[in-house]
Amino acid sequence: MKILVLPGDGIGKEVTASAIEVLKTLVPDLELDYGLIGGSAYDETGSPLPKETIEKIKKSDAVLLGAVGGNKWDKLDHTLRPEAGLLGLRSHMQVFANLRPVKIFKSLIGSSTLKEDVIEGVDLMIVRELTGGLYFGKPKGIETKGAIKRGFNTLEYTTPEIERVAKIAFDLAQKRNKKLCSVDKANVLESSRLWRETVEEVAKAYPDVELSHMYVDNCAMQLIRNPKQFDVILTENMFGDILSDEASMITGSLGMLPSGSLGEGKGLYEPVHGSAPDIAGTGKANPIGAILSAAMMLKYSFNKADEAARIEQAVDKVLSRGIRTPDMTAGAKEVVGTEAMTKHIIDEVKKK
Ligand code: IPM
Ligand code: MG
């Protein structure tokens, strides 16, 4: 099992190191390779996604990424920014379906800003289209006409792009609670009208899955009002970006949320959080999002669902003892840093 680790920037380095330590305790034949991405790649090579990194993907079975970005690179041309490296990687790997599970750990209920009865038992999955939509549509740019500048992007989807991500979402729903809510803005946007029509078509092959549609503004509200109504949420790239940050707050901290991106080839796994330059290097980062991303890798890329469950259970155990990182201190018995949290989780994994 060969994994390419792309730590990236800021706390990405710290949290991927934690995730790898956890993987090592469960996978004896783990082979690791390391590559550059994001701002640190730009600093060393002049590109946020160097050719060597692309080459390394070919030689590995899956990719584990930390995070990219930081104010240091904010003034760069947008094609050289750390985020461009990440988007280039997702596009290159054609990982069009980004799975972002939002599951509440019982012991973290007090860390959420939402009321206990609203969030208790939440277990939903956001399937975000990841290689199309506004992030990639052309034309895009900023043009100048006289004294006026105009910035523009294109929101477009084709039927094959919608079909392939919808199939993944329906397959997941079939294995879960058989409910799929497709989120769009079909009352305003043409791309959303096509999205809705196409999802309806795909649904015909899944008669056992109950399909509903929701406008994105309503979904943003419903996620806070009653998140338990959702099982699988399927949505386009930009809506999924926004809704998944919102949904992370149900779990108490953005630092908790993992993600896995699937396509026809290799999987890409990364925590939902960013590079958090404000706490990078302080040893305070919450490694759980990255550790749970590694668990998703075991499950989705290597068919090791049991090992993945062991990691999830270990995280649950440690949290239930009141051990917390500084991003989620409500109800904490002991606040620890990245390394100590990782060690606690590894000790639990080893116990079985
Ligand atoms: C995410 C991030 C990225 C995105 C950024 C860093 C480009 O916010 O993975 O959600 O917008 O997709
Ligand atoms: Mg985001």
Side-chain angles (χ1 to χ4, degrees):
M1 180 168 153
K2 189 158 181 192
I3 294 170
L4 175 62
V5 188
L6 303 177
D9 308 322
I11 62 166
K13 297 193 171 64
E14 298 150 55
V15 299
T16 47
S18 295
I20 292 301
E21 286 310 308
V22 175
L23 278 180
K24 276 184 185 161
T25 61
L26 280 169
V27 184
D29 63 331
L30 189 67
E31 273 182 73
L32 299 172
D33 193 6
Y34 285 82
L36 292 167
I37 192 156
S40 46
Y42 170 78
D43 286 346
E44 274 198 37
T45 70
S47 161
L49 181 59
K51 278 201 199 77
E52 301 79 59
T53 300
I54 301 282
E55 282 304 311
K56 282 168 187 264
I57 297 170
K58 283 191 200 136
K59 295 185 209 125
S60 53
D61 304 316
V63 178
L64 180 71
L65 186 136
V68 300
N71 351 4
K72 188 179 164 196
W73 303 284
D74 272 354
K75 294 215 169 71
L76 284 178
D77 181 77
H78 78 279
T79 57
L80 295 174
R81 283 181 61 124
E83 291 81 0
L86 176 58
L87 298 186
L89 177 74
R90 289 171 177 171
S91 177
H92 170 80
M93 293 181 73
Q94 273 301 295
V95 282
F96 53 80
N98 179 222
L99 277 43
R100 298 190 158 183
V102 180
K103 196 172 170 180
I104 183 94
F105 286 94
K106 248 197 153 132
S107 48
L108 278 190
I109 285 183
S111 297
S112 176
T113 50
L114 300 180
K115 288 203 183 95
E116 203 171 311
D117 58 316
V118 173
I119 59 172
E120 196 181 6
V122 166
D123 181 359
L124 61 91
M125 172 75 90
I126 296 178
V127 179
R128 167 189 177 194
E129 200 289 327
L130 201 63
T131 53
L134 260 186
Y135 276 57
F136 294 94
K138 289 194 179 116
K140 63 175 178 180
I142 300 178
E143 58 180 27
T144 310
K145 276 192 187 143
I148 294 175
K149 284 187 176 181
R150 173 177 164 261
F152 54 98
N153 292 84
T154 302
L155 174 46
E156 60 173 353
Y157 272 107
T158 61
T159 41
E161 279 178 313
I162 304 166
E163 278 162 8
R164 62 187 188 175
V165 70
K167 280 182 190 150
I168 288 191
F170 275 104
D171 285 340
L172 278 168
Q174 234 168 13
K175 292 189 201 126
R176 294 172 49 103
N177 288 326
K178 300 188 167 36
K179 269 169 61 180
L180 188 147
C181 179
S182 174
V183 173
D184 61 35
K185 189 74 189 176
N187 49 347
V188 178
L189 302 174
E190 276 68 24
S191 60
S192 279
R193 276 203 342 252
L194 182 67
W195 181 279
R196 196 174 276 222
E197 266 171 48
T198 311
V199 172
E200 293 273 356
E201 276 306 308
V202 174
K204 289 181 182 158
Y206 299 86
D208 54 332
V209 177
E210 181 195 321
L211 170 67
S212 59
H213 301 278
M214 198 180 269
Y215 297 138
V216 62
D217 47 350
N218 185 24
C219 181
M221 183 270 279
Q222 295 293 342
L223 268 173
I224 301 298
R225 193 186 72 88
N226 176 20
K228 272 181 261 190
Q229 69 187 286
F230 296 110
D231 179 22
V232 175
I233 292 176
L234 165 65
T235 192
E236 64 97 41
N237 202 344
M238 178 80 151
F239 297 160
D241 179 45
I242 299 168
L243 293 178
S244 58
D245 265 33
E246 185 192 0
S248 76
M249 270 300 121
I250 297 171
T251 67
S253 172
L254 182 57
M256 290 291 299
L257 234 63
S259 89
S261 304
L262 312 176
E264 264 126 47
K266 294 163 188 174
L268 166 67
Y269 299 84
E270 48 176 323
V272 172
H273 65 71
S275 60
D278 52 325
I279 59 161
T282 64
K284 287 183 188 157
N286 182 351
I288 295 179
I291 290 171
L292 293 175
S293 298
M296 287 186 80
M297 171 187 279
L298 291 178
K299 182 169 172 183
Y300 292 102
S301 282
F302 300 104
N303 226 341
K304 290 182 185 294
D306 292 345
E307 285 86 344
R310 267 176 70 177
I311 296 179
E312 281 162 25
Q313 283 153 17
V315 169
D316 195 21
K317 280 258 175 64
V318 171
L319 293 174
S320 68
R321 296 210 308 266
I323 298 166
R324 302 279 191 278
T325 41
D327 53 309
M328 42 177 191
T329 50
K333 289 213 180 77
E334 191 189 341
V335 179
V336 299
T338 315
E339 264 178 44
M341 177 57 96
T342 308
K343 181 154 188 319
H344 280 298
I345 293 170
I346 289 173
D347 288 347
E348 270 314 322
V349 169
K350 281 185 179 158
K351 268 187 196 164
K352 302 235 166 148

